[in-house]
Amino acid sequence: MNMIQALNSAMDILLTQNPDVVMFGEDSGYFGGVFNATDKLQAKHGAHRVFDTPINEAAIAAMAIGMAAKGLKPVAEIQFSDYIFPAFDQIVSEMSRIRYRSAGQFTSGCVLRSPWGGGIRGGQTHSMSPEAFFTHIPGVKVAIPSNPYDAKGMLIAAAEGNDPVIFFEPKRIYNGPFDGVPDAPLKSWAKHPKGEVPEGHYRVELGKAEVTREGSACTVVTYGTLVHVAEHAAEKSGIDAEIIDLKSLSPYDIDTIAASVNKTGRAIVAHEAPRTSGFGAELAAQIQEDCFYALEAPVLRLTGWDTPYPHAHEWAYFPIQSRFIRAMEAVTKAV
Amino acid sequence: MSNTNARFHVPTAPFRPGETPDFSNLDLQKAGDAPRPDPGIDAGETASLATGLVGVLDHNHQAVGEWDPKLKADLLREGLSHMVLTRIYDERMLKLQRQGKMSFYMKSTGEEAVAVAAAMALDKSDMVFPSYRQQGILFARGRNIVDMMCHCISNSRDNLKGRQLPVHYTWAEGNFFTISGNLGTQFPQAVGYAMACAYKGEDQVAASWIGDGTTAEGDFHSALTLASTYRAPVILNVVNNQWAISTYQGIAKGDAPTFAAKGLGYGLASLRVDGNDFLAVYAATRWARERATAGKGATLIELFTYRAAAHSTSDDPSKYRPKNEETAWPLGDPIERLKQHLIGIGEWDEDRHEKLEEEMTKLVVKSYKDAESYGTLHDGPLAPTESIFEDVTETPDWRLRRQRQELGI
């Protein structure tokens, strides 16, 4: 399966197994979503379970909160993560705090899925990686899968949990992994081991990272599309980097990160989002705190620039393979 | 120099401090004049009700016209009692705030009918999504007053563990949704809740309240759009008390004829109701509930009333409106009007009213003593300090466990 098929399969299973699951979003119903993630789900499960919404992200989030208060399990879609900001108040002030402010009398367990990240010539409003806005909110979980197997298992785990989850989907790798070379031919998931996806129900628990490539020279902590870029950079450069796919950003798996950095002594944190106050800053600070005596070089941040996401110069902005190699060289040579 | 901005219009309140308020040119439809159509009518047919004023109690305190819900005297006395209790509670809590017993308070003086009558017209299983000024709902639904006070003084018995500002009540058992400080967010949430009721095939409805000022928030538009699209069984109340802190209602309303009229553009049944008329609020809520449970969708109700007290304990209205403007308000006082109605029909008298007030005052004073026995904000005991780390998510993760250790508990 590709990632879209895996997500579709997850949603089909959720709808089949739990009558309280409902799905909605802009173009998510009859049309099946602009990326086909909800393809055929309305026809199979009914328009009262998978339906179209008005173009109003705040309303989508608020609807999810109200439905969750009544015991439904909404799995809603925000068409692009760039357009999640109209829902920001409902997420920050409401969804994230309902359990806390009501001392557990009400909960708001729901999932907001949203296509995320760059690498698709999306320009400023179809390329953003707004995860750091959300990891700064106590009370919401943030998850970003990097492959079809995880996408399905994590979406099921997110929807079966009792906390609100912001579930970002790297749209650059919906149809195949990306090795970080802009003009390289497209690959499919068919030949990737994580493209093998069981048909049935399974969960990939949130909060756990995975070492996707073992190495000894340095640790690269990343998530989403860049997991693949980092892996290819390690192979191409011959630098024996250990790659950690974080998968969950809030909460994140400090144990896996610390074990790796304590072993390698060197760390790169990498994301597409801008550097300043990006999630990499949190990772770098925590690595410094937990692994200070093991570190042999400063923690290096490999990120998008502190600019809006550009259209024409996308590949000067995006942390492509060559930038990963340079960063790996820099962090391993640093004394 | 001539005024080059002559075409730039900024509305201003009709009366300011030092001026004499005069509402005689307010064009308000007389009680009894509005027709009561079948609740199943098309939304468009409510246009005259959205610009008129649904009223039952006339200037002689008699119940007139088609909207008279013809309630039994027992129920009217119960409503009066809840409103009196709400007012006495508010006054006591204000005093206690002034004595430093709690950090903050907000009264609902003059708006008791908006909350109490609506709550009594709803089913107790209907979920309410209030703003911070519908404490009357809690009295109408029978919440323990000691519990309410314990919340306001954030003590060891506060059911919110001291996490929320006073008056931000939550009471799941009474189907009273958790109040948020962020204005208007509950309006579209109520629609989502109502959609879920419809999804589950249950006969419950949701009701929400926001103020006139909050209608300017985007969530007002979100709620009306959703309610219309999905024909949700929800009652959307706009409490037009004329003031949003210091801002008069014309700033939010603009040149729209009424707040209720805004609902018509969304295809929602819309009513403007005398918010100081217990019977009218009750009747309109029943009508909207009937419409909702019949599958005909939502109703927007503007409750036309007046915020007689300060916005909050942090506000001084004498800086932006005339003193005693509330006494010039043409729709009077909701408690006085219901009281006079009951007296007029021979079901109440001044002695009984006085006794009721005494009884309620005693109850409130005694309840506060009880509440204080569970602690106060300043002297404790409070909820255990470590409880600040609970309920962020279902299970605290390593970050919260570490932070709790860092705090040394």
Side-chain angles (χ1 to χ4, degrees):
Chain A
M1 290 185 198
N2 65 30
M3 252 172 113
I4 290 290
Q5 290 160 335
L7 291 162
N8 186 272
S9 167
M11 289 189 270
D12 187 24
I13 287 168
L14 289 165
L15 286 161
T16 303
Q17 295 192 344
N18 183 354
D20 289 334
V21 169
V22 287
M23 293 178 183
F24 48 87
E26 297 156 15
D27 305 297
S28 304
Y30 182 84
F31 183 59
V34 296
F35 291 101
N36 296 327
T38 50
D39 187 36
K40 296 190 173 65
L41 295 179
Q42 187 183 72
K44 183 169 174 188
H45 298 281
H48 64 303
R49 303 199 62 199
V50 183
F51 54 91
D52 291 313
T53 66
I55 303 176
N56 183 329
E57 291 77 14
I60 291 170
M63 203 186 336
I65 293 165
M67 287 176 159
K70 178 68 187 162
L72 295 189
K73 171 58 76 174
V75 179
E77 177 178 297
I78 303 290
Q79 200 161 79
F80 285 86
S81 65
D82 312 64
Y83 303 135
I84 201 167
F85 299 104
F88 203 55
D89 186 37
Q90 285 287 347
I91 296 168
V92 180
S93 314
E94 301 291 321
M95 192 183 285
S96 74
R97 293 193 208 146
I98 280 174
R99 181 191 291 275
Y100 191 76
R101 79 173 190 232
S102 71
Q105 293 179 65
F106 291 96
T107 55
S108 50
C110 62
V111 181
L112 291 187
R113 295 176 39 239
S114 190
W116 165 96
I120 58 150
R121 280 273 186 255
Q124 291 183 28
T125 56
H126 300 80
S127 307
M128 280 187 76
S129 303
E131 63 274 15
F133 292 101
F134 298 91
T135 55
H136 196 58
I137 310 170
V140 289
K141 294 184 171 178
V142 180
I144 307 179
S146 72
N147 59 69
Y149 180 87
D150 286 347
K152 177 171 173 179
M154 286 166 66
L155 184 58
I156 290 173
E160 290 179 349
N162 294 320
D163 295 312
V165 180
I166 308 293
F167 193 88
F168 287 130
E169 302 165 3
K171 56 191 172 297
R172 179 64 179 81
I173 54 173
Y174 268 158
N175 294 312
F178 177 56
D179 59 14
V181 178
D183 49 4
L186 292 175
K187 288 185 180 173
S188 98
W189 282 110
K191 288 174 190 158
H192 194 285
K194 293 284 179 72
E196 269 180 47
V197 178
E199 292 289 336
H201 175 280
Y202 67 95
R203 293 161 63 123
V204 174
E205 295 303 330
L206 304 186
K208 294 226 162 48
E210 181 180 341
V211 176
T212 65
R213 183 191 189 282
E214 289 195 11
S216 58
C218 65
T219 299
V220 179
V221 187
T222 189
Y223 45 90
T225 307
L226 295 188
V227 171
H228 305 280
V229 181
E231 286 169 358
H232 282 87
E235 298 308 325
K236 184 78 181 290
S237 65
I239 296 170
D240 188 25
E242 180 147 300
I243 314 296
I244 294 177
D245 179 358
L246 212 47
K247 300 188 198 181
S248 278
L249 279 69
S250 188
Y252 61 98
D253 179 356
I254 190 62
D255 293 342
T256 299
I257 297 170
S260 175
V261 176
N262 282 331
K263 179 178 79 175
T264 64
R266 297 163 197 272
I268 297 169
V269 295
H271 53 66
E272 297 175 38
R275 182 167 305 166
T276 301
S277 303
F279 192 61
E282 165 62 27
L283 292 172
Q286 199 62 52
I287 289 170
Q288 181 274 145
E289 201 175 306
D290 282 23
C291 312
F292 183 77
Y293 295 104
L295 282 173
E296 292 172 45
V299 178
L300 199 150
R301 283 186 286 170
L302 174 58
T303 65
W305 309 123
D306 287 336
T307 69
Y309 198 106
H311 182 245
H313 289 294
E314 170 157 55
W315 300 118
Y317 174 95
F318 193 96
I320 55 174
Q321 195 185 99
S322 55
R323 276 177 65 199
F324 264 91
I325 293 172
R326 284 207 300 279
M328 288 170 178
E329 286 169 354
V331 85
T332 49
K333 277 176 194 157
V335 177
Chain B
M1 208 175 142
S2 67
N3 183 355
T4 54
N5 278 332
R7 284 177 297 166
F8 174 42
H9 174 64
V10 180
T12 184
F15 317 109
R16 288 301 192 185
E19 295 173 350
T20 305
D22 174 10
F23 294 105
S24 58
N25 60 351
L26 260 188
D27 185 22
L28 297 174
Q29 191 175 18
K30 279 201 316 216
D33 280 1
R36 183 188 183 280
D38 185 278
I41 59 162
D42 287 347
E45 291 177 47
T46 60
S48 69
L49 294 165
T51 50
L53 190 74
V54 171
V56 173
L57 290 172
D58 70 8
H59 60 285
N60 291 320
H61 310 297
Q62 307 224 338
V64 294
E66 295 175 13
W67 284 90
D68 179 5
K70 303 207 186 318
L71 301 176
K72 294 210 167 89
D74 276 349
L75 201 130
L76 293 179
R77 278 190 293 262
E78 187 194 330
L80 183 69
S81 161
H82 293 320
M83 292 202 291
V84 166
L85 177 56
T86 306
R87 184 164 298 178
I88 288 171
Y89 176 90
D90 274 353
E91 270 155 23
R92 186 74 193 167
M93 296 302 266
L94 176 77
K95 266 191 208 139
L96 291 164
Q97 193 278 339
R98 293 299 188 227
Q99 291 167 14
K101 304 277 192 183
M102 70 191 95
S103 59
F104 177 77
Y105 194 72
M106 299 179 104
K107 297 170 83 183
S108 62
T109 314
E111 300 173 41
E112 293 88 349
V114 158
V116 170
M120 288 176 69
L122 293 170
D123 195 284
K124 285 200 173 174
S125 66
D126 296 335
M127 182 65 84
V128 296
F129 291 74
S131 82
Y132 45 67
R133 217 185 293 281
Q134 284 84 45
Q135 46 266 54
I137 297 170
L138 290 164
F139 298 109
R141 287 197 165 176
R143 180 135 194 241
N144 183 315
I145 301 165
V146 177
D147 287 341
M148 291 174 66
M149 290 171 160
C150 286
H151 158 63
C152 287
I153 58 177
S154 301
N155 66 16
S156 64
R157 191 172 140 175
D158 175 8
N159 73 331
L160 306 182
K161 303 184 183 178
R163 291 174 186 158
Q164 280 262 56
L165 270 182
V167 311
H168 289 59
Y169 304 102
T170 300
W171 187 39
E173 203 188 315
N175 291 314
F176 186 100
F177 195 66
T178 171
I179 292 176
S180 166
N182 294 69
L183 294 180
T185 47
Q186 76 275 24
F187 228 39
Q189 290 167 7
V191 183
Y193 189 95
M195 290 169 68
C197 293
Y199 175 88
K200 285 177 171 261
E202 293 174 4
D203 270 340
Q204 290 159 346
V205 307
S208 188
W209 288 254
I210 60 170
D212 46 283
T214 300
T215 62
E217 292 281 5
D219 278 340
F220 175 72
H221 165 72
S222 297
L224 271 57
T225 302
L226 290 180
S228 177
T229 300
Y230 303 107
R231 223 170 280 167
V234 65
I235 303 170
L236 297 169
N237 295 295
V238 172
V239 183
N240 177 6
N241 67 13
Q242 315 301 319
W243 292 97
I245 307 186
S246 74
T247 307
Y248 101 106
Q249 49 86 24
I251 296 286
K253 184 169 70 64
D255 288 331
T258 64
F259 287 99
K262 295 188 181 215
L264 299 171
Y266 292 83
L268 295 179
S270 305
L271 313 173
R272 186 165 67 149
V273 176
D274 178 347
N276 292 6
D277 179 340
F278 181 92
L279 293 172
V281 176
Y282 189 98
T285 308
R286 289 302 300 177
W287 187 91
R289 195 180 186 285
E290 221 177 300
R291 180 175 176 81
T293 51
K296 300 290 181 181
T299 303
L300 180 73
I301 303 179
E302 173 182 351
L303 289 317
F304 203 66
T305 181
Y306 187 88
R307 193 195 80 211
H311 164 70
S312 73
T313 49
S314 310
D315 174 47
D316 173 9
S318 72
K319 290 188 174 159
Y320 52 80
R321 70 184 191 191
K323 265 192 184 136
N324 304 322
E325 190 177 76
E326 72 277 8
T327 58
W329 182 245
L331 299 179
D333 178 87
I335 293 178
E336 187 60 22
R337 285 174 67 191
L338 183 58
K339 174 188 161 191
Q340 292 304 334
H341 172 67
L342 273 164
I343 291 173
I345 59 173
E347 294 286 352
W348 197 242
D349 57 54
E350 293 290 352
D351 280 355
R352 288 171 78 178
H353 196 81
E354 208 173 297
K355 263 191 201 143
L356 174 70
E357 287 180 334
E358 277 170 22
E359 194 185 307
M360 294 301 174
T361 305
K362 270 187 202 156
L363 174 67
V364 168
V365 170
K366 183 188 174 304
S367 297
Y368 186 73
K369 274 191 193 136
D370 284 357
E372 250 190 345
S373 73
Y374 297 95
T376 63
L377 175 62
H378 295 296
D379 301 324
L382 311 176
T385 308
E386 62 266 30
S387 71
I388 66 170
F389 297 107
E390 295 161 4
D391 300 323
V392 177
T393 47
E394 188 177 35
T395 316
D397 60 62
W398 64 271
R399 299 169 300 181
L400 290 176
R401 291 197 301 272
R402 280 196 193 185
Q403 287 163 30
R404 181 181 155 171
Q405 278 178 343
E406 200 176 319
L407 191 56
I409 47 178

